[in-house]
Amino acid sequence: MFYILLVISQVYSQDEYLCGKGERQSPISIIDTFDAKYYKLELRFKDDILVGQREEDTENKRYIFTDDPDRQIPEFRMLGHDPHGLMVGYRPTEFQLIAPAEHQIFEQSFDLELVIWGDLLNIYKNPNIKGGLSFFFKIINQDEISQENNTVITYPQIFNLTEDDDQLSINMINLASHLKHNDKYITYRGSLTWGNCDEIVDRFLIPQVFPITQDQYDQILSVKYINNANPLQEIRKRRIVRGTLIIEDETSANYNPIYRFLSLTFIAFLFFLIFALFIKEQREKRRMDQAKKFKSGN
């Protein structure tokens, strides 16, 4: 018990929080990771599109997610292990676009970084109340020709620019379809990259390149709500872990509510069957015990 308390005290020591000292600042260049098979990050998509509203009151260029307050289930959640193996869950609240990307992964640079920021869900206990999930984009040749069938390759539109100039939406279906080809994520303890860097957060990076055409890239930049990249920080003694990514896609294009109803019905039936067999076994055992007592004259 003493050893466990000692480990916890070192993991969450005061130095872990003092982002201003530069010990835990973001962004960083990922050059090596510790692979942990039991580390998981589950992304749950519940809707086709997430729409963000510009936050005009701050100097930092961010989009605040708009949401229907009547919904009981968030349309997008991320649940998993933080850099030290604790279970955490975040409810995304805002996102920002950074060009060029702030992070580097295995000496690879990117043209655009999408960071989805989320607040810690109430059921989890963690000193860090915010998490950041990063996706990385590179500009590709939009006139690329497939060598097999001589057809022009088209790339899905991740971002949807709405008519209202202060809104930007993310196509979660296309994002999820790309993520299904990737099964890893990287996590480390970092920070916000705006303001006074006065808040330590858990950073989650998807080490996969998302394609974007020059036209798509220019269209996003035309919104003029893009953040400039911060300089890379020292890694120091931080724990950088690579774990397994799990995608739970329940968007309307890929999710059949009838299938889920039948699945839940089957699970309930299976549970009831197991329970009924258990009760039957207990009754048979009790009957046999009573028969033995009757034969013995007791």
Side-chain angles (χ1 to χ4, degrees), residues 190-296:
S191 71
L192 303 176
T193 56
W194 68 77
N196 298 323
C197 187
D198 55 356
E199 187 175 356
I200 290 293
V201 299
D202 291 330
R203 302 300 301 263
F204 301 89
L205 314 179
I206 306 299
Q208 175 187 358
V209 179
F210 288 80
I212 187 172
T213 66
Q214 185 67 54
D215 289 343
Q216 293 171 346
Y217 182 76
D218 293 340
Q219 189 180 20
I220 293 174
L221 291 184
S222 67
V223 181
K224 303 185 186 303
Y225 223 58
I226 308 295
N227 293 264
N228 296 322
N230 280 16
L232 294 172
Q233 306 294 317
E234 294 185 23
I235 295 179
R236 300 184 185 268
K237 296 181 180 180
R238 272 185 277 198
R239 180 180 176 85
I240 304 175
V241 185
R242 181 162 56 178
T244 302
L245 182 66
I246 302 173
I247 303 299
E248 291 291 338
D249 183 6
E250 298 181 0
T251 54
S252 61
N254 303 288
Y255 168 59
N256 189 336
I258 298 179
Y259 173 78
R260 180 168 184 178
F261 172 77
L262 294 176
S263 299
L264 293 176
T265 303
F266 175 76
I267 293 175
F269 172 76
L270 187 62
F271 176 80
F272 175 79
L273 180 62
I274 294 174
F275 180 75
L277 291 175
F278 174 78
I279 295 298
K280 182 180 180 181
E281 182 181 1
Q282 293 299 314
R283 288 180 177 177
E284 186 67 19
K285 183 179 179 180
R286 192 179 303 113
R287 187 187 65 80
M288 293 179 63
D289 290 341
Q290 291 176 351
K292 287 181 181 179
K293 290 182 180 180
F294 178 78
K295 290 182 179 180
S296 62

Side-chain angles (χ1 to χ4, degrees), residues 12 82 86-88 120-128:
Y12 294 112
D82 72 2
L86 296 180
M87 285 297 298
V88 290
L120 189 71
L121 297 173
N122 294 332
I123 61 175
Y124 296 97
K125 302 297 181 183
N126 190 299
N128 308 309

Side-chain angles (χ1 to χ4, degrees), residues 34-40 81 84-85 87 185 239 241 243-244:
F34 169 72
D35 289 338
K37 294 183 179 180
Y38 65 91
Y39 273 55
K40 309 290 183 182
H81 291 93
H84 296 284
M87 285 297 298
Y185 78 99
R239 180 180 176 85
V241 185
T244 302

